[in-house]
Structures are given as C-alpha cells and as structure tokens.
C-alpha cells in the first residue's frame, strides 16, 4: 500500500478524533450500560476500552521514544511493509466481524472496572493525536518501532500507527454494539 504521508496522518487523526469523541460521550452513560455485555463471553464497553488502554501503555511510549530519537526528514509517500500492512489490515473492522484471540495479559474480561477506564482512554487518544501531529516531521518509512509480540520484529512507524489506530477502531465498533 502506498499513500501520501500527509493523507495517512490526516486519516489516522480523523479516526482517532472520532474514537475520542465516542469515548467522551460515554461519560454520560450509566455504570450499568458501561458494564453490560451481550453474552458471558463477550466484552463490555469498559472491557473493550481497558483492552485498548493496555495496548496503549506499550505503544504510546514506544512511538513517543521513536519520534524523539528520529532525525530522518519526512518523505512525501508512505509505503507500507508486507508484515506491517498485514497486521494493520487484519485489525480493520469488517462486515462479518471475525473474533481474534488476545493474549491473556491483554484480556480484561470479568475485571472489576470503573469509569477511570474512560478517562485513561480519552487521555491516550489525545496523546495519540499529539504523536500523529509530531509524526509529520519524521520519515514514517525509515523510523521503526518494536511491537508487543516480539522485540525482534520492527515495523515502520507508519504501519505501527495504522495498526494501533485500526485496532482502536475495531474495538470501538465492538463497544458500540453494546449500546
């Protein structure tokens, strides 16, 4: 996949802003609604957001560190890597929503969660918008990041942004089905 770097950043910021807006609207919902799950094995809204918060605790500092340490000037075109493109596209919500397994440490099901989960998610989305703004000044192709499943695998920063934002979108869509 090839895309203008500025367009990619714009698209990812737009999705993140929509996720932020959705989460801010959840502040008006009852605790009962936030903890409702469609079945015993499905996640509640708060569990969806807690899952995302857990990933955000890894990716936000990782992306921030890579942005700070990158002195590579931006290029006009972002070209996705094979593995990064696969990971990012696998996160996009699809018509026939396919369940995916998650690591036990990232699975919040039946956790005792409260509204602080919303505030943390909102804070993380604001941080992500800030990071996307900063990304306009670096090369999304040559700047690399680690990923949660292995320190040995590095993805292009552009693919990491795509993966994180699409993953957030996937679980926001899941949370919306509980409303």
């Amino acid at each position: 996949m090839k895309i203008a770097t500025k367009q990619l950043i714009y698209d990812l910021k737009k999705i993140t802003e929509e996720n932020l807006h959705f989460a801010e609207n959840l502040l008006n919902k009852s605790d009962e609604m936030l903890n409702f799950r469609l079945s015993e094995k499905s996640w509640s809204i708060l569990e969806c957001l807690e899952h995302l918060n857990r990933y955000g605790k890894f990716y936000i500092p990782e992306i921030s560190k890579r942005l700070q340490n990158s002195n590579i000037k931006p290029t006009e075109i972002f070209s996705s890597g094979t593995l990064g493109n696969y990971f990012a596209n696998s996160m996009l919500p699809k018509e026939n929503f396919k369940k995916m397994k998650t690591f036990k440490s990232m699975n919040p099901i039946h956790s005792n969660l409260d509204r602080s989960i919303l505030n943390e998610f909102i804070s993380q989305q604001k941080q992500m918008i800030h990071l996307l703004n900063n990304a306009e000044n670096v090369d999304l192709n040559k700047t690399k990041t680690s990923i949660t499943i292995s320190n040995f695998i590095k993805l292009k920063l552009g693919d990491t942004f795509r993966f994180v934002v699409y993953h957030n979108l996937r679980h926001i869509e899941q949370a919306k089905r509980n409303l």
Side-chain angles (χ1 to χ4, degrees), residues 49-122:
L49 297 183
E50 172 60 11
H51 172 73
L52 297 176
N53 288 343
R54 291 177 185 188
Y55 274 95
K57 287 176 185 171
F58 173 83
Y59 282 106
I60 289 171
E62 173 65 12
I63 292 168
S64 181
K65 177 175 72 174
R66 302 304 176 161
L67 283 171
Q68 289 172 353
N69 294 332
S70 179
N71 57 4
I72 307 166
K73 299 293 179 219
T75 55
E76 287 189 30
I77 302 294
F78 172 72
S79 298
S80 185
T82 305
L83 191 58
N85 195 49
Y86 171 79
F87 284 150
N89 286 335
S90 71
M91 287 299 115
L92 281 170
K94 296 176 181 65
E95 197 68 32
N96 296 325
F97 194 76
K98 184 181 174 193
K99 282 188 172 185
M100 300 176 91
K101 289 267 187 200
T102 191
F103 295 104
K104 188 172 184 164
S105 64
M106 298 298 187
N107 189 344
I109 197 159
H110 303 299
S111 298
N112 186 17
L113 303 175
D114 61 32
R115 294 178 161 275
S116 66
I117 301 307
L118 292 174
N119 293 325
E120 183 176 352
F121 183 76
I122 289 167

Side-chain angles (χ1 to χ4, degrees), residues 5 17 37 63 74 84 86 94 109 150 154 164 179:
T5 300
E17 288 165 354
R37 63 169 63 89
I63 292 168
Y86 171 79
K94 296 176 181 65
I109 197 159
S150 171
K154 303 269 192 255
V164 172
L179 290 177

